[in-house]
Every structure is written in structure tokens, then in C-alpha cells.
Amino acid sequence: MKIFIANWKMQVPFAEAEILAKSFARAFKEYKGKAVICPDFLALPLVGKTLIPSALKLGVQDLAPYSRGAYTGEVSPVDMAVLGAEFALIGHSERRSIFHEDDKLIAEKIRSAVEQGMTPVLCVGENAAERKLGRAASVVRNQLKGAFKGMKAKELKSLVIAYEPVWAIGTGSVCDPATAFRMKATISDFCLRSGLKKTPVLYGGSVKPDNAASFLAKGGFDGLLVGGASLEVESFLKICKQ
Ligand code: PGA
């Protein structure tokens, strides 16, 4: 079954989150697929309460590598799980580039998600300069290598990977599907060599209702990670119905 993940980022004002979640829950009432909404932490309890009885699942955009303790400013993954979060985005390019998250931290966050019984959604992808230099595949392989370090294949059996070329995120310049499919093959090959046979690989980066199908064609991706187009219920529903 394809997986569709909405990454609301820090785009939804708190005062509007519940109303938006209600409209998603209504629109997805008859939905039979797997769709996940990732609100910000502040809205998590509110959005979770609205979504959990519906066909939609709850996710988080990031999570602390530790379960509890003296970690000023962090939110406990234990509480996220209690609130119903089943998926956790990890290593999103905005976390890597703006908040300087490195492979070691990302690996610890994957472990943290696994410990809480959440599905870690590891985001990987090259930036424009790396692609121009022909380094896209090696950058992605290195990100995977860093994230898998110290993890056993059996610990990673719930892992989902999202290939998100950084230059395609929020820019409207979508990656052409043939190029993206080649990267999917690189990722699947790396997973196979690491003992992971069935890791789903999603595509993300300027996904819209009119280009979503091209990434899901036969031999293509196992789902989509959607930012901008997930803020509007109709466009996310159209994407999820591809
Ligand atoms: P976008 O964001 O769909 O707005 O490009 C995707 C993401 O950041 O996950």
C-alpha cells in the first residue's frame, strides 16, 4: 500500500490547526489508503485527537534522540507516542541544513523512533551543487550509511526512506521522474546490501496533484512526502487518491 505523508512544517497557526485537522478528517472519511499528517509539536495533541478516530494517521516532523531527562527545549518521544504519533520524519533537509543535524544525531533519532515503536521516515537527498557535480548518488549513499551506523537490520525493519532532492523542496522545480527512479534504485540497492529487503522509498519535493501520479507509476516510488500541497485538504486528497 502506498504511503502519503503531509508535512505541515511550521506553516499552520495554532488557532487554525484544529479546524484544518477537522476538515482533513471529514474529507478522508472514506479513505482506505495510508495517509499521515505531521503537524508541529504544539498542535500534536489537538490534531491527534481529531485525526485518530479517522482514517488518517499521526506523525511528527522530528524527535529527540532521548526519551526523557535534562534536555532543555526538547519534547519527549515517549509523549509523542502516547499522543498517538506513529510516524516520525527524521533528517529532513531543513533539519540538516538550518539546524545542522549530522549523521550521528540522525542515527540516534532513528533509534529513538524505533524504541518508541514509531516508524522512522529517514529523509535523504542531494543539494543543487552536489547534483551539478555528479555527486548525487554518493551523497545519498553516504547519508544512508551514516544513518544506518550501529543499527542492526532487524532494528530497521519498520524504516521508510524519503528521497527528497533539496533543490526540489518548496521550489516548484520538480525532479524529473526518470532521474528520481534512478535514485530510488540506488537507495533500494543500498538497503538490500544492508539486509533490508522491503524498505519503502517515497519521493518528496514539489509534489502537486498534477505531478503525483508520475512518481507512482510502475517501478516507481512507494508513496509521497508532501509539504506545500498538503496544507490544502483538496490537493492532498487528490494526491492520496493517485
Ligand atoms: P514541498 O516540501 O512539497 O513543499 O516541496 C516537501 C518536504 O519538505 O517534505
Side-chain angles (χ1 to χ4, degrees):
M1 187 185 283
K2 305 271 189 218
I3 307 169
F4 299 93
I5 305 180
N7 178 8
W8 284 358
K9 307 194 181 186
M10 203 178 71
Q11 304 280 24
V12 181
F14 182 70
E16 293 167 25
E18 193 175 12
I19 296 167
L20 189 64
K22 279 186 178 152
S23 66
F24 271 74
R26 259 195 314 274
F28 280 77
K29 215 163 144 206
E30 312 289 326
Y31 187 69
K32 299 276 184 286
K34 197 181 257 186
V36 184
I37 307 289
C38 302
D40 62 40
F41 289 142
L42 206 56
L44 194 71
L46 216 73
V47 172
K49 222 163 45 194
T50 311
L51 295 184
I52 285 165
S54 78
L56 289 158
K57 299 196 174 298
L58 189 64
V60 290
Q61 301 172 15
D62 182 27
L63 88 175
Y66 313 109
S67 54
R68 204 167 295 285
Y71 301 107
T72 303
E74 287 293 344
V75 178
S76 169
V78 178
D79 294 325
M80 296 177 203
V82 167
L83 291 169
E86 292 179 58
F87 290 77
L89 301 183
I90 292 171
H92 187 279
S93 73
E94 287 147 19
R95 301 292 324 165
R96 292 178 192 260
S97 66
I98 305 169
F99 301 100
H100 314 293
E101 291 195 3
D102 60 12
D103 288 335
K104 186 169 172 284
L105 181 60
I106 289 166
E108 284 166 1
K109 290 185 173 194
I110 292 179
R111 183 176 297 284
S112 172
V114 171
E115 278 169 9
Q116 297 313 319
M118 289 189 217
T119 299
V121 181
L122 169 67
C123 304
V124 294
E126 81 289 354
N127 64 29
E130 290 159 344
R131 173 149 294 272
K132 215 165 152 200
L133 289 169
R135 294 186 46 227
S138 69
V139 165
V140 167
R141 268 196 298 265
N142 279 335
Q143 289 172 338
L144 294 170
K145 200 167 144 198
F148 288 8
K149 206 166 175 185
M151 304 286 292
K152 295 196 179 70
K154 67 169 191 278
E155 293 173 297
L156 293 171
K157 61 176 195 297
S158 69
L159 183 74
V160 172
I161 295 173
Y163 170 54
E164 296 203 295
V166 178
W167 47 272
I169 295 178
T171 57
S173 51
V174 73
C175 183
D176 91 276
T179 306
F181 290 175
R182 278 197 295 279
M183 189 63 88
K184 190 204 175 223
T186 302
I187 294 169
S188 298
D189 183 55
F190 188 94
C191 288
L192 215 56
R193 284 166 199 254
S194 310
L196 303 171
K197 289 199 189 78
K198 285 186 279 195
T199 306
V201 185
L202 319 184
Y203 171 80
S206 294
V207 171
K208 304 282 178 265
D210 59 357
N211 63 27
S214 62
F215 293 102
L216 302 170
K218 202 162 179 287
F221 288 88
D222 305 303
L224 299 166
L225 175 52
V226 189
S230 75
L231 293 166
E232 213 250 294
V233 64
E234 280 312 315
S235 69
F236 189 58
L237 185 61
K238 271 193 202 139
I239 291 169
C240 294
K241 283 188 169 168
Q242 298 293 332

